[in-house]
Amino acid sequence: MDGANNMVVMREWPKIYVRDFGPFREARIELAPLVALIGRNSLGKSMLLYLLWALENTMPDLPWLASQVAEAGGPDIASDIVASLEKGGEGLEERVRELMVLNLRGLAPAWARALEDQLERLYGVSLSELVRVNAASSEIRIEGREAVMMIRIKGDELDVEWLKPGPEAIVEHINVRSIGSWLTLEYEGRSTNEYIRSVIDVELAMVKLLNVVIGQLFETMLGSTGGETALLVDGRAGIIRTLLETHPGHLYIAREALAADVDFISTTQRLIEDLARRKVELDVPPLRLLLEELGCRLELERKPGIPRLHVRPWLGPRLPIDRAPSGIREAISPLLSLLSRDFSIIYIEEPEAHLHPRAIRHLARLIAYAINKHGKLVRLTTHSDTFICQLNNLIALSSTPEVAEERGYTREETLRPELVRAYLLERGDEHVDVIELPVTEEGFDESAFEEVARELAEERGEALGVLYAREKAGGKAGGSQ
């Protein structure tokens, strides 16, 4: 697609650079509100999606961090802060910054400990198996707002290094204010308040400030999103049928499932609870269109303790969600998470799975609505030409509001190009290439799917040509008789 000159850039998003991880020699992903990983089967789309989830969802090991701060004299500094507040704040700023330096110095190794455990349970393999074949190590570089962290995996060890800015440079931008026992800590325009009565209150204030600093420097990284995340794995329909009925028990089959699958069931149950608490917006046009296409409506049954979700198909009896048709089971978690107030980042493997092309169109429309209306961040994998085509339609409609209105779309149901980043995964020489597709007012390149469409058309044309020739020859033979 020629249209690079129409590229719209509003701002820069956090970036992730990957080297020698899984099948990827190199990859660069910019975490815009919508990230689409596109490609054929067995190229590592899901592996890359899981990595994004781990980097954004995993919080540092805070108990371990607290122990390191304690060993470095943190409690003594916290006691000085309590005493300073009692005396009107004398020397308060200096002591707060000193304690924050200790927390920032321990942040990288604390995150390394948590990330190591998360990656192993997420992929179900040792760390060494995540390194690209024939490579000595893997590197994952995270770039935020003038801040950089480097993750290195070598053998079965994972290390995190904070490259910039250093802890001492960060604390210079922390403003400290107090009124009586109230302590206000501010960093780059965001603040946290805590009423200080003891050392424990000071430690809590440091944790809150640490979350503010991470959020300002790295935005969504290190579990600082400020909301829940939903990893909606492939095979959702089968997992719901198999595991949802047993949740929250711990039956044998749940123990044997991959951690991501069990987490998915926990997320699904949480979404059903959000629905019961009226935290899910249901009265929206894209959802009505999707449910109409799926031929059902949602009904909630409030059993003691755990609410149960049912669907009522257009024809037939009401069914519990784990016995509903596969398309409904596949779509239920994405649609609930996109409209839940508590979930901020949604990761979806193959949103098109088990869905009719018309339902796929409505789901893409719902994703756009959630991004624009609720500020959701969505990361997904796909190899559906229908889904990609609809995303491009929504991008084009954002620049032609008159056409969008004529077609029945609201502005919230379209996608501005600057909100989208698309990446095509392709086979290389013993590795997988991750190619960024420029997003313009017309959308992004669909040629990988157009090539398949051409091949199908050529095959059909060739077969029909032979059939027409046979019919014509048969007609001539009949006439000669």
Side-chain angles (χ1 to χ4, degrees), residues 350-416:
E350 322 299 350
E352 69 274 6
H354 289 259
L355 296 181
H356 184 276
R358 195 175 298 279
I360 294 172
R361 292 187 61 194
H362 294 320
L363 181 55
R365 190 170 174 174
L366 183 63
I367 289 172
Y369 176 89
I371 290 171
N372 291 309
K373 182 66 181 293
H374 297 297
K376 303 288 186 184
L377 304 178
V378 180
R379 292 79 167 89
L380 58 86
T381 67
T382 185
H383 41 58
S384 166
D385 55 349
T386 302
F387 187 81
I388 294 302
C389 184
Q390 177 67 342
L391 287 184
N392 278 332
N393 286 353
L394 298 178
I395 293 169
L397 288 171
S398 74
S399 301
T400 54
E402 67 281 4
V403 178
E405 184 177 358
E406 183 181 337
R407 287 282 187 173
Y409 290 83
T410 66
R411 192 169 189 84
E412 293 166 334
E413 296 167 16
T414 65
L415 282 169
R416 301 195 310 276

Side-chain angles (χ1 to χ4, degrees), residues 253-315:
I253 191 166
R255 291 200 305 269
E256 293 302 308
L258 287 176
D261 295 346
V262 178
D263 287 349
F264 163 68
I265 287 299
S266 297
T267 297
T268 300
Q269 189 61 54
R270 168 66 189 277
L271 288 167
I272 294 172
E273 292 169 1
D274 281 359
L275 183 62
R277 297 186 182 112
R278 303 182 185 277
K279 291 185 175 182
V280 179
E281 182 185 15
L282 294 178
D283 188 23
V284 298
L287 178 61
R288 289 198 297 271
L289 290 170
L290 179 56
L291 292 177
E292 182 180 338
E293 178 59 35
L294 292 173
C296 72
R297 68 174 185 266
L298 305 181
E299 295 183 357
L300 205 60
E301 179 180 310
R302 301 176 187 274
K303 286 189 173 182
I306 301 177
R308 292 292 305 276
L309 180 62
H310 291 72
V311 296
R312 189 173 293 277
W314 72 276
L315 188 63

Side-chain angles (χ1 to χ4, degrees), residues 50-60 111-125 127 130 158 223 229 231 259-260 263:
Y50 284 20
L51 177 62
L52 299 184
W53 179 83
L55 296 176
E56 293 188 293
N57 184 68
T58 306
M59 296 180 62
W111 194 40
R113 288 173 60 88
L115 198 57
E116 180 176 319
D117 179 67
Q118 187 78 283
L119 292 177
E120 288 181 341
R121 67 184 290 270
L122 184 62
Y123 292 111
V125 299
L127 289 176
L130 298 177
L158 184 150
T229 64
L231 176 57
D263 287 349

Side-chain angles (χ1 to χ4, degrees), residues 145-161:
R145 297 173 180 171
E146 300 182 357
V148 181
M149 272 192 177
M150 178 69 80
I151 302 165
R152 296 183 178 89
I153 302 174
K154 188 169 185 178
D156 285 326
E157 294 185 358
L158 184 150
D159 296 311
V160 177
E161 181 182 3

